[in-house]
Amino acid sequence: MYICKPERNILQVRLLLILSAVITLTLFFVCSVTKGYLSTVTQLLGFVSLVVAILLNTRYSLTEFEYSVDDNDFTITKILGNKRQIVCCVALETAIALYTKEEYNHLPSGEKAIIKYSLNQNIRCESYVFVCDFNGKRAKIEFEPNAPFVSIVRNKIDNAIKNKN
């Protein structure tokens, strides 16, 4: 079994935390200083900003992903604190291809997936797209492995497809 755990972009985490705190606190400060209709609007915007900040910080700062592949399966595990949860486990024999995100974006619309999952750990990253057949429909799983892991996954996909036929 081969395992890949992408590195977290520390600058992105710090920037996300600082921006979300500054925007939310600014909106609540403006809410406390103003009166009337403007106070209600800024209070609502502050609450929405707080919710979005919590969601983004949980998704991109606290959550980690671990990618693994063996002879039969491609698995992605989500790690949040001490809790580990297998998010997806796909049989390699159902795989169609592994593309870079740019290659996938240039595919004709008939070859693109209907079911889409984004399991990246960082917001802007060099990601790959694992395309597979899922219950008769094309599915894409976007993730961010390193170069050695990509070559291993491509070899495992090729071997699984050869053994299937």
Side-chain angles (χ1 to χ4, degrees):
M1 174 182 287
Y2 298 95
I3 297 174
C4 174
K5 192 170 185 178
E7 292 186 27
R8 180 163 314 280
N9 185 343
I10 300 299
L11 178 64
Q12 169 190 296
V13 171
R14 289 179 180 161
L15 189 63
L16 180 64
L17 180 62
I18 291 169
L19 280 176
S20 59
V22 167
I23 291 171
T24 303
L25 290 174
T26 302
L27 286 169
F28 282 129
F29 176 74
V30 170
C31 168
S32 67
V33 172
T34 60
K35 294 182 181 180
Y37 178 72
L38 186 61
S39 174
T40 306
V41 171
T42 54
Q43 186 175 18
L44 180 63
L45 288 175
F47 178 72
V48 169
S49 172
L50 179 64
V51 170
V52 170
I54 291 171
L55 289 173
L56 287 176
N57 281 291
T58 301
R59 170 66 173 88
Y60 292 108
S61 298
L62 300 176
T63 304
E64 295 179 327
F65 287 101
E66 184 178 87
Y67 314 122
S68 63
V69 66
D70 58 17
D71 291 332
N72 302 320
D73 298 319
F74 171 67
T75 307
I76 299 179
T77 305
K78 176 180 164 183
I79 304 166
L80 184 61
N82 291 331
K83 183 180 175 187
R84 298 175 66 88
Q85 176 183 11
I86 294 178
V87 179
C88 74
C89 183
V90 180
L92 289 176
E93 62 187 25
T94 65
I96 297 170
L98 181 64
Y99 301 108
T100 63
K101 189 172 181 181
E102 292 79 26
E103 290 172 343
Y104 179 80
N105 289 337
H106 289 79
L107 287 176
S109 61
E111 294 183 24
K112 290 192 176 180
I114 296 172
I115 304 168
K116 301 172 184 175
Y117 298 101
S118 177
L119 300 174
N120 290 332
Q121 185 168 292
N122 297 302
I123 294 174
R124 290 188 166 265
C125 59
E126 291 184 31
S127 58
Y128 285 80
V129 177
F130 181 88
V131 180
C132 62
D133 181 46
F134 184 73
N135 293 335
K137 296 178 183 176
R138 280 185 179 236
K140 91 169 190 170
I141 302 167
E142 186 178 336
F143 66 113
E144 54 176 314
N146 55 21
F149 190 76
V150 169
S151 64
I152 292 169
V153 171
R154 285 186 172 148
N155 288 335
K156 296 287 185 182
I157 289 172
D158 292 340
N159 291 339
I161 290 173
K162 286 177 187 175
N163 293 335
K164 183 174 112 174
N165 295 335

